Amino acid sequence: MLFAAVLLAPPSHGGLGLDRPGALELRPEGLRRLRDQISVAEDSASCPACATWSWLEVIGTNSGWSHGSVRALGHGRDEEGPAHRHLRPDPSPDWHLCLGLLPAIDRWGWIDSYRSMHPASLSAVISAIALLLDGLEPAYAPVPAAAAMPVSPRRQMTREEEERILKRADELTARVEAILREFDAGR
C-alpha cells in the first residue's frame, strides 16, 4: 500500500505523481529512471524511498524464491546498517526481472508475478489511504513486553555447511545424469 502511495502521491508530497494507468503499467526500467525523483524523509518510518526499497525487496524475493521466503520478510527484523533502508544496496536484484511493479495479489496474500493489480483494486488502495489520511490519528496503547510476538532467530549457514550441501547436490546430479544415460542406452 505504501509503494502504491509513493507512485501516486504528487512530487510535493514525496511521490512520483503517476496516474492510475501509469502506476499499473510501470515496469522496472521505468522505476530505474524515476527512482531518484522519490523523496527522502528524515524519519525512516515515513520515508518514501525506504517504502520503495521495502517493496522491491518483497517483489524481488517473490520473483526468485518461495512464498515462505516472502512471508519471512514480514516477520524478520532489519539487519544492522543505516536506519534508512534506501541507503543500503538493493535487497533483491530479481525485482529487475518483474513484469510489473504493482502485481496482482490474491485473497490469501500470494503475489501473482504475471498480472498487474486490477484498476479497481488500486482504487480501493487509494480509498484506504485517503481514509487513513483523513481519519483521526490512532492512539497506540503500549504493548507489554510479554505480549510481544517472539521472533525466532535466523539460523546462519556456515561456509562449510554450504560447501557440503553443494557437494551433495553435485553428487546427486551426477547420479541422475548416470541414470538418464543408462535409460537412454537401453532404448
Side-chain angles (χ1 to χ4, degrees), residues 2-10 15-19 22-24 26 31 34 38 52 101-102:
L2 291 174
F3 179 68
V6 169
L7 295 180
L8 298 168
L16 293 175
L18 300 176
D19 58 5
L24 291 171
L26 185 64
L31 183 61
L34 297 171
I38 298 171
T52 300
L101 297 175
L102 283 179

Side-chain angles (χ1 to χ4, degrees), residues 1-8 16 18 22-28 31-32 35 38 44-45 47-65 67 69-71 73-74 78 84-106 108-118 121-122 125:
M1 193 159 92
L2 291 174
F3 179 68
V6 169
L7 295 180
L8 298 168
L16 293 175
L18 300 176
L24 291 171
E25 295 167 5
L26 185 64
R27 303 291 180 253
L31 183 61
R32 281 194 294 273
R35 195 167 177 188
I38 298 171
S44 63
C47 179
C50 287
T52 300
W53 188 97
S54 295
W55 181 244
L56 296 179
E57 180 178 23
V58 169
I59 64 171
T61 301
N62 184 72
S63 176
W65 297 92
H67 293 299
S69 299
V70 177
R71 186 175 35 245
L73 290 176
D78 273 347
H84 279 271
R85 293 178 302 283
H86 75 270
L87 296 175
R88 301 175 190 165
D90 267 353
S92 177
D94 287 344
W95 74 267
H96 296 277
L97 305 174
C98 294
L99 297 177
L101 297 175
L102 283 179
I105 301 173
D106 70 17
W108 296 283
W110 299 122
I111 298 172
D112 183 344
S113 302
Y114 303 103
R115 292 186 306 130
S116 285
M117 177 185 283
H118 191 276
S121 298
L122 185 55
V125 169

